[in-house]
Amino acid sequence: MADRIFAGVLLLVTLAYSVIAFTTIKAPFQYDPLGPESWPRILSIVAIICLLVILWKPDTDKLDVAGQTWFRLAATVVLLVAYSELYEPLGFILATILFGTVLSAMLGASVLRAIIFGFAAGIGGYLLCAVLLDLNLPEGEIFETLFERAPAEQPASAEGAS
Amino acid sequence: METVLSGLATGFGVALDPFNLFLVLVGCFAGTLIGALPGLGPINGVAILLPIAYSLGFGPESALILLAGIYYGAEYGGRISSILLNVPGDAGAVMTTLDGNPMARSGNAGRALSLSAVASFVGGTFAVILLSLFAPILAAFAVTFSPADYVALMVFAFASLASLVGKSTVKTLLGALIGLMLATIGIDANTGIPRYTFGVPDILAGIDFLIVVVGLFGMAELLTLVEQQVSGQLKSLPVDKSFVRWADLARTKWTIARSSMIGFFIGILPGTGASVASAVAYGTEKRISDTEGTFGTGDVRGLAAPEAANNAAAGGAMVPMLTLGIPGSGTTAILLGALLMFNIQPGPMMFSQRPEVAWGLIASMYIGNVALLVINLPLVGLFARMLTIPQKYLTPMIAILAFIGIYTIVGNPFDLLMITGLGVFGWFLRKMDFSLAPVILGFVLGALFENNLRRALSISGGDWWILVGNYKSIVLYLLAILVVALPIYLGRRARRMEGDAVSAEDAHRP
């Protein structure tokens, strides 16, 4: 059943893909026999055939995921989305401290250890990647606006933003 | 022969550069650490570290040497969790658990680890030697391939992928199609028409390869870890002082030789990687030498066979990747994508146009093999300690590493949302028994496949018969049909024979 639902959803997406390939994509003029639309058309037809075969003969019955696990997975995804959204506004250090603490606590670490892990990951990760390896990590818009109030810091923060 | 020797000289010149030598060692070390993490296979390790390696701003040959070191190291490290934990890091390591874990349980953990390191070393070195002999010849032949031949080659690659990888042929094929369809997103290079971008500026140039790799492998792996999280710690067996004996090596020398051979040639087949090779090598060895029925109870040969084959296949998979631009496994597909990011088109021309990259990579594989043997024998205890990192810290660490890697490419937070989304998609695919390697293969080969098809048809002025207009492509299509039909035929025959065998076996069991 799970197979059929998944294949059904994929079929809808593929049908949309195919409709776009057959109607919307067009080059205003072209010299080659195959334009930008031909390849997606071929792909969508083969994919639809494959999906129909799966719908006809599914082989995965159930996803076999307990209710609690679904909850944990959903919470992880929410945390990941929140981490992505906060990455630039809060900066790497703060966002990572929050994310590391909450996720490790959710996965069973005690509160104190989770906090220690979060700080270690945030500060250690920044020192390792941004300072030692010279990678580009966000410093945080909050700090930049804070620094901008102090006039002496202005050129430094403008540089950091670029 | 001359080209091989002069090529190797160039290659060692590049690889023995102190900085590159240092990178080989760092890559091997980091790869072994990542590979030893429980449940995190080589492909996920390479996927997570790839963007970081890319952002460090090295030259293409240095970055590639680093990545190859990580790939090799992860293959080595994977066996540690198979042997000590009985948890294979990826499909290629499943066979290692069969005899490796019983050995460790009977107090021979150190012996099992050192023997598998030696077997891996021999398999890996054997494969690199064959690679340096074969690759230039194959590349010289592949220069004559026309676009139509390339189309046939792709069809062959996907056919062997569909028939040999994964549980269901249709699902593997669909996985490859999903990859090919993802690759059509973005502006069409030939006409400048945007396809499937829906006005989102972040994907006008197509979905970045790194995002697909980290999303489908790294993030999907993370969700799988969360899903399978067990409360409490996995019990790791202790590493004792026992060590591989000469008697073991004498006993396994033919096993290792045979398995390296099998591994290398299976590794060459496009699309099939270490998992098929180690399974075939184990099966063959069991049939040839398991006269006392000791396989599966801690037989040294049962451990040496898959380990040698595994690493030989890792080298064999490099052959089609370097000479034809068609990766032989999921991990080489990632390396191929890495080459493309450096604007190097892998393929027959690479040996003549960028010899320092092609040969530097090959030479670094020689060095990497030696380095791995040297750092693995004494340091295995240290690597084994990685197994005890609890998952509650490991999982957030993977996410943090993946985010650092993706953010540092262009500093676009939209990419972070994309890897999360692709991770969810990849997790669902895995739950549905799709394997993810075809998706990444399809994604990497998408542009090459489409461009060659279009080029072939422009040459013929729209006549589709050009696709079968030459003996090379006809042979490739025949091979494609063979590779699909043969397993089906053999499977039917095996099932018919199994009908008798199963009833006989049941009678034997107590």
Side-chain angles (χ1 to χ4, degrees):
Chain A
M1 202 52 218
D3 238 8
R4 287 215 166 122
I5 297 172
F6 190 63
V9 172
L10 273 186
L11 186 62
L12 286 181
V13 175
T14 314
L15 281 175
Y17 180 95
S18 145
V19 167
I20 293 175
F22 278 96
T23 56
T24 314
I25 301 175
K26 231 176 251 139
F29 53 84
Q30 64 181 55
Y31 306 104
D32 295 332
L34 289 194
E37 74 290 343
S38 326
W39 180 242
R41 283 182 189 176
I42 299 171
L43 288 181
S44 64
I45 290 170
V46 184
I48 287 171
I49 295 172
C50 284
L51 284 164
L52 289 178
V53 173
I54 293 177
L55 281 176
W56 182 257
K57 274 187 172 178
D59 54 12
T60 314
D61 254 1
K62 263 192 268 160
L63 273 185
D64 217 13
V65 176
Q68 233 185 340
T69 314
W70 276 118
F71 178 74
R72 207 166 55 208
L73 282 168
T76 311
V77 174
V78 170
L79 276 178
L80 285 169
V81 171
Y83 189 28
S84 332
E85 290 291 346
L86 294 176
Y87 214 63
E88 277 195 337
L90 290 189
F92 173 81
I93 300 179
L94 211 54
T96 306
I97 290 175
L98 284 176
F99 174 78
T101 309
V102 175
L103 184 58
S104 60
M106 192 189 89
L107 295 177
S110 67
V111 176
L112 183 66
R113 285 181 175 217
I115 292 174
I116 295 174
F117 170 78
F119 272 86
I123 297 169
Y126 190 81
L127 287 180
L128 180 70
C129 294
V131 179
L132 192 68
L133 295 176
D134 204 20
L135 295 174
N136 158 41
L137 288 178
E139 281 157 15
E141 282 156 18
I142 297 186
F143 299 112
E144 273 160 30
T145 41
L146 277 181
F147 284 139
E148 258 164 48
R149 291 212 189 115
E153 292 285 343
Q154 207 149 8
S157 68
E159 221 169 275
S162 66
Chain B
M1 203 61 213
E2 246 169 71
T3 44
V4 174
L5 287 181
S6 67
L8 278 179
T10 321
F12 274 103
V14 173
L16 286 176
D17 172 86
F19 181 62
N20 289 341
L21 201 58
F22 169 72
L23 287 182
V24 174
L25 294 177
V26 169
C28 288
F29 191 79
T32 316
L33 281 184
I34 285 255
L37 292 174
L40 198 66
I43 196 163
N44 303 306
V46 176
I48 292 168
L49 292 184
L50 173 63
I52 297 183
Y54 180 65
S55 308
L56 287 173
F58 299 151
E61 66 276 4
S62 300
L64 207 66
I65 285 171
L66 178 66
L67 283 173
I70 294 172
Y71 171 38
Y72 251 56
E75 293 276 353
Y76 263 67
R79 79 215 152 77
I80 300 177
S81 71
S82 309
I83 291 173
L84 295 180
L85 280 182
N86 206 13
V87 176
D90 68 339
V94 173
M95 295 291 147
T96 310
T97 61
L98 296 181
D99 277 284
N101 188 249
M103 269 181 88
R105 245 182 285 138
S106 62
N108 282 321
R111 189 169 147 223
L113 286 169
S114 45
L115 173 68
S116 67
V118 174
S120 304
F121 168 74
V122 176
T125 308
F126 175 82
V128 185
I129 294 173
L130 284 193
L131 164 66
S132 29
L133 294 178
F134 269 114
I137 302 172
L138 194 56
F141 178 61
V143 174
T144 64
F145 275 28
S146 68
D149 298 333
Y150 260 100
V151 172
L153 194 61
M154 285 319 159
V155 172
F156 170 61
F158 284 113
S160 58
L161 189 72
S163 90
L164 296 172
V165 177
K167 286 182 191 144
S168 147
T169 308
V170 181
K171 285 188 174 172
T172 310
L173 192 60
L174 186 61
L177 283 165
I178 290 173
L180 289 170
M181 280 158 68
L182 281 176
T184 57
I185 295 174
I187 289 179
D188 170 41
N190 291 18
T191 53
I193 300 292
R195 297 191 290 193
Y196 304 106
T197 54
F198 305 106
V200 182
D202 300 276
I203 54 173
L204 268 186
I207 302 180
D208 196 291
F209 165 76
L210 289 168
I211 291 168
V212 176
V213 169
V214 173
L216 281 184
F217 289 97
M219 298 309 268
E221 180 71 21
L222 179 134
L223 290 175
T224 310
L225 282 176
V226 170
E227 181 210 338
Q228 294 172 343
Q229 198 203 24
V230 276
S231 43
Q233 235 166 298
L234 291 161
K235 278 267 182 298
S236 167
L237 296 161
V239 182
D240 46 40
K241 288 270 177 282
S242 65
F243 203 67
V244 63
R245 300 173 201 143
W246 284 115
D248 295 336
L249 294 181
R251 201 146 169 247
T252 52
K253 61 175 189 274
W254 294 117
T255 304
I256 292 178
R258 272 193 294 268
S259 305
S260 305
M261 201 68 122
I262 293 172
F264 180 76
F265 285 103
I266 290 184
I268 287 186
L269 280 185
T272 62
S275 49
V276 182
S278 61
V280 171
Y282 188 83
T284 315
E285 214 38 49
K286 194 173 159 140
R287 221 170 303 131
I288 294 179
S289 44
D290 187 19
T291 43
E292 305 107 56
T294 50
F295 270 54
T297 60
D299 193 304
V300 283
R301 291 166 300 179
L303 171 64
E307 273 305 306
N310 204 332
N311 284 269
M318 291 276 185
V319 175
M321 198 274 267
L322 289 177
T323 58
L324 302 171
I326 295 191
S329 66
T331 321
T332 39
I334 294 182
L335 290 181
L336 182 122
L339 278 173
L340 291 176
M341 288 189 312
F342 285 109
N343 264 329
I344 298 170
Q345 176 69 53
M349 302 308 282
M350 193 167 97
F351 278 87
S352 45
Q353 285 175 346
R354 301 298 294 266
E356 82 282 4
V357 175
W359 286 107
L361 179 65
I362 292 176
S364 74
M365 287 165 72
Y366 281 97
I367 298 172
N369 262 317
V370 179
L372 278 168
L373 188 68
V374 173
I375 58 179
N376 256 271
L377 291 180
L379 290 184
V380 74
L382 171 71
F383 293 129
R385 216 161 294 152
M386 296 299 285
L387 298 178
T388 53
I389 292 184
Q391 266 192 4
K392 51 195 174 204
Y393 305 126
L394 179 63
T395 312
M397 251 154 56
I398 295 175
I400 292 168
L401 272 179
F403 270 47
I404 292 176
I406 289 302
Y407 185 82
T408 50
I409 311 171
V410 285
N412 183 355
F414 179 78
D415 295 345
L416 302 175
L417 285 174
M418 296 250 293
I419 57 168
T420 309
L422 280 166
V424 174
F425 181 60
W427 180 80
F428 270 108
L429 283 178
R430 274 172 66 155
K431 286 306 277 182
M432 301 290 170
D433 277 334
F434 283 86
S435 58
L436 292 176
V439 183
I440 204 70
L441 232 63
F443 186 74
V444 167
L445 293 180
L448 197 62
F449 201 163
E450 180 181 9
N451 289 340
N452 275 303
L453 182 66
R454 284 164 82 166
R455 215 171 292 150
L457 285 180
S458 330
I459 291 171
S460 71
D463 179 11
W464 289 82
W465 285 107
I466 189 175
L467 295 179
V468 287
N470 150 335
Y471 78 95
K472 284 177 215 147
S473 34
I474 293 174
V475 168
L476 283 166
Y477 284 121
L478 288 179
L479 281 175
I481 294 170
L482 189 72
V483 88
V484 171
L486 203 63
I488 297 176
Y489 169 74
L490 289 178
R492 285 227 176 109
R493 216 185 58 169
R495 219 170 297 141
R496 222 177 302 135
M497 280 163 50
E498 225 170 63
D500 314 327
V502 164
S503 49
E505 221 170 78
D506 282 344
H508 277 298
R509 281 202 191 121

